[in-house]
């Protein structure tokens, strides 16, 4: 009996052991299929129909873990429709970028970088690399840095590091710039350093302003203007001067204006004002009206106490484009506060300038401004007269009702349409009453 019992127990134990072994083997097989199955099921959910379903899909992606997400990224194949995978990878990168998900974002960056290393298709590599732009951090720089020397990934990697913007990212880009012999790569690194605003890169970038490569010259000027180091003033002024202070392929004149603006914004207002004055004196309204107008804009911004005086002077210039730009820089508050000075300027200005100034005054709804416009309703110059008619209404509503009705009674046909339009746009109950009264007379 005992012998039978021992045999029976041995059989049962062997049977259980076999079942465990089979179960473990099955589980291993299932585990291999489970990730692929989960990914396939998940991809069928993209693009998600609404925010709730997208959130649920992101939770499923999170559950895949780094290896599962890498596996998904590796499913991209050249020449096929990878849209669903791209939706998933882009969506998950955005999902992890939210506050409080820093650890998840770090996991995603690691998974994506692992996929980039294993992928063979440059298009797929670039797509995955782009997804980490807004979630990569300083601790990921070392993993991204090798991509800088890859012709296919250099530009994307540079932009990712520019967005990281740390000292480590800056060092990686400077190191890549100093060692690369490929102009296209150098342009990527210089642009990224400019976007970071890396002051320590100014000296390394400056020589490229005089490069034989037009692209390197252009991007170096852009980067130095973005960084706005005080030491870059001479090299950028010279570049703008060599361009004739007008438009050229490097955009040197416009970038020099941007440099002065950035220099002032970074706390170097005294130097910025000095440079703006120098640029204003170096340019004229005939050959470089855009650059001279830009210099005036900077002077108005950097030296507000003298801004009204400068704009009044510029508003009397015959060159209509420069004059128009100057009046755009005039704020409504400045105009009202300096109204007496503008009244005097109207008495000295040319007819073209008077019309321009009156038009600008019409953009301020203010009774005092409207009263300055009133006398010009009877100007012998038709352009001034018509501008005054339109401006006095927008500035003073129905303040000039009596004057306009008087003019309507005595004007010729060429002015009547302008006067009638002015009356139609006037506000106030007395407009209709006064017009009816005139009709009865």
């Amino acid at each position: 009996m005992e012998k039978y019992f021992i045999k029976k127990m041995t059989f049962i134990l062997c049977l259980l052991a076999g079942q465990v072994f089979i179960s473990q083997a099955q589980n291993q097989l299932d585990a291999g299929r489970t990730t692929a199955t989960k990914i396939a099921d998940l991809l069928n959910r993209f693009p998600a129909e609404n925010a709730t379903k997208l959130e649920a899909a992101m939770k499923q992606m999170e559950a895949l873990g780094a290896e599962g997400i890498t596996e998904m990224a590796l499913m991209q194949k050249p020449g096929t429709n990878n849209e669903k995978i791209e939706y998933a990878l882009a969506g998950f990168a955005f999902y992890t970028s939210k506050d409080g998900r820093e650890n998840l974002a770090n996991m995603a960056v690691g998974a994506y970088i692992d996929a980039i290393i294993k992928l063979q298709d440059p298009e797929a590599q670039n797509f995955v690399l782009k997804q980490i732009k807004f979630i990569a951090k300083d601790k990921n720089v070392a993993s991204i840095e090798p991509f800088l020397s890859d012709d296919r990934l250099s530009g994307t990697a540079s932009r990712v590091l520019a967005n990281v913007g740390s000292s480590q990212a800056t060092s990686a880009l400077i190191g890549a710039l100093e060692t690369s012999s490929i102009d296209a790569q150098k342009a990527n690194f210089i642009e990224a350093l400019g976007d970071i605003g890396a002051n320590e890169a100014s000296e390394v970038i400056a020589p490229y302003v005089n490069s034989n490569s037009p692209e390197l010259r252009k991007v170096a000027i852009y980067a130095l203007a973005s960084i706005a180091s005080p030491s870059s003033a001479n090299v950028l002024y010279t570049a703008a001067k060599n361009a004739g202070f007008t438009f050229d392929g490097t955009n040197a004149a416009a970038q020099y204006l941007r440099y002065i603006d950035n220099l002032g914004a970074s706390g170097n207002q005294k130097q910025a004002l000095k440079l703006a004055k120098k640029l204003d004196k170096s340019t004229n309204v005939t050959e470089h009206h855009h650059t001279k107008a830009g210099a005036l804009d900077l002077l108005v911004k950097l030296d507000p106490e003298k801004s009204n005086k400068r704009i009044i002077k510029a508003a009397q210039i015959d060159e209509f484009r420069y004059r128009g730009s100057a009046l755009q820089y005039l704020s409504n508050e400045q105009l009202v506060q300096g109204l007496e000075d503008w009244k005097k300027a109207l008495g000295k200005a040319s007819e073209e300038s008077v019309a321009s100034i009156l038009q600008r005054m019409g953009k301020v709804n203010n009774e005092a401004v409207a009263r300055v416009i009133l006398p010009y309703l009877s100007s012998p110059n038709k352009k001034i007269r018509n501008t005054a008619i339109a401006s006095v209404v927008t500035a003073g509503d129905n303040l000039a009702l009596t004057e306009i009705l008087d003019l309507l009674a005595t004007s010729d046909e060429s002015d009547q349409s302008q006067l009638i339009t002015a009356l139609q746009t006037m506000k106030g109950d007395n407009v209709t009453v006064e017009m009816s009264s005139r009709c009865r007379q």
Side-chain angles (χ1 to χ4, degrees), residues 60-70 107 111:
Q60 283 186 276
M61 276 197 75
E62 183 178 346
L64 289 175
E67 290 184 4
I69 292 170
T70 297
M107 180 271 281

Side-chain angles (χ1 to χ4, degrees), residues 377 389 400-424 434-435 438-439:
L377 293 174
I389 290 168
L401 175 60
T402 300
E403 288 81 356
I404 288 179
L405 286 172
D406 289 343
L407 285 171
L408 186 61
T410 59
S411 65
D412 56 30
E413 290 184 7
S414 63
D415 283 345
Q416 283 178 354
S417 61
Q418 184 80 12
L419 292 165
I420 291 170
T421 299
L423 289 169
Q424 290 172 336
E434 185 66 24
M435 289 178 66
R438 291 293 182 103
C439 289

Side-chain angles (χ1 to χ4, degrees), residues 58-375:
M58 293 298 99
K59 293 286 186 184
Q60 283 186 276
M61 276 197 75
E62 183 178 346
L64 289 175
E67 290 184 4
I69 292 170
T70 297
E71 184 176 333
M72 177 189 287
L74 292 174
M75 290 179 175
Q76 296 177 93
K77 304 296 180 187
T80 61
N81 186 349
N82 296 311
E83 186 180 64
K84 289 182 179 293
I85 300 173
E86 290 172 353
Y87 268 119
L89 295 173
F92 191 65
F94 180 76
Y95 174 76
T96 66
S97 69
K98 300 300 181 183
D99 290 342
R101 295 173 181 166
E102 289 77 13
N103 290 336
L104 189 59
N106 187 53
M107 180 271 281
V109 171
Y112 287 9
I113 288 176
D114 190 28
I116 295 165
I117 293 169
K118 294 175 181 177
L119 281 164
Q120 298 298 314
D121 177 35
E123 186 175 337
Q125 287 179 308
N126 256 305
F127 175 80
V128 178
L129 186 54
K130 285 177 184 177
Q131 306 317 308
I132 70 172
K133 180 177 180 180
F134 298 106
I135 55 176
K137 302 298 179 187
D138 193 49
K139 58 187 171 184
N140 306 124
V141 170
S143 299
I144 299 166
E145 189 173 356
F147 303 135
L148 292 173
S149 58
D150 187 322
D151 285 344
R152 303 166 302 177
L153 304 177
S154 174
T156 305
S158 297
R159 288 186 286 275
V160 172
L161 290 183
N163 203 67
V164 172
S166 66
S167 59
Q168 190 174 344
T170 298
S171 296
L173 288 163
I174 291 175
L177 176 59
E178 290 177 330
T179 57
S180 177
S181 59
I182 302 171
D183 283 356
Q185 288 186 4
K186 289 181 177 182
N188 292 330
F189 308 148
I190 291 170
E191 182 177 5
L193 288 165
D195 291 338
I196 290 174
N199 194 62
E200 60 267 47
S202 296
E203 290 187 10
V204 181
I205 294 171
Y208 291 99
V209 172
N210 300 310
S211 169
N212 291 326
S213 163
E215 180 61 27
L216 283 177
R217 286 201 305 273
K218 183 176 182 177
V219 76
I221 290 169
Y222 161 82
L224 291 180
S226 300
I227 295 168
S229 168
S231 64
S232 299
N234 288 336
V235 68
L236 290 176
Y237 175 82
T238 301
K241 184 178 180 181
N242 290 341
F245 295 117
T246 187
F247 177 79
D248 78 325
T250 66
N251 212 17
Q255 291 298 342
Y256 185 56
L257 289 167
R258 193 168 74 89
Y259 165 73
I260 297 173
D261 192 23
N262 288 339
L263 188 67
S266 63
N268 296 289
Q269 288 142 324
K270 188 174 180 179
Q271 184 185 3
L273 179 58
K274 182 179 177 181
L275 295 176
K277 287 179 179 178
K278 180 181 178 181
L279 182 60
D280 183 53
K281 290 179 180 178
S282 301
T283 51
N284 63 71
V285 296
T286 305
E287 297 175 287
H288 343 96
H289 67 272
H290 285 303
T291 304
K292 192 169 182 68
L296 175 63
D297 187 23
L298 290 168
L299 288 169
V300 168
K301 183 185 295 185
L302 294 165
D303 193 10
E305 290 183 4
K306 296 181 181 179
S307 61
N308 203 53
K309 181 180 178 181
R310 285 193 171 102
I311 296 173
I312 287 174
K313 182 179 178 181
Q316 297 177 69
I317 296 292
D318 287 338
E319 214 290 322
F320 72 96
R321 292 166 297 185
Y322 180 73
R323 183 175 67 239
S325 296
L327 289 169
Q328 286 181 0
Y329 304 148
L330 177 68
S331 70
N332 291 349
E333 184 181 22
Q334 284 176 314
L335 194 154
V336 173
Q337 288 178 351
L339 192 57
E340 284 302 313
D341 293 328
W342 282 100
K343 186 176 179 180
K344 292 176 185 177
L346 282 167
K348 300 175 183 177
S350 67
E351 291 179 338
E352 288 293 326
S353 294
V354 168
S356 296
I357 295 169
L358 291 176
Q359 185 179 44
R360 175 64 185 85
M361 285 182 166
K363 297 178 181 179
V364 185
N365 189 254
N366 181 280
E367 183 177 330
V369 173
R371 292 194 182 282
V372 171
I373 299 171
L374 269 176

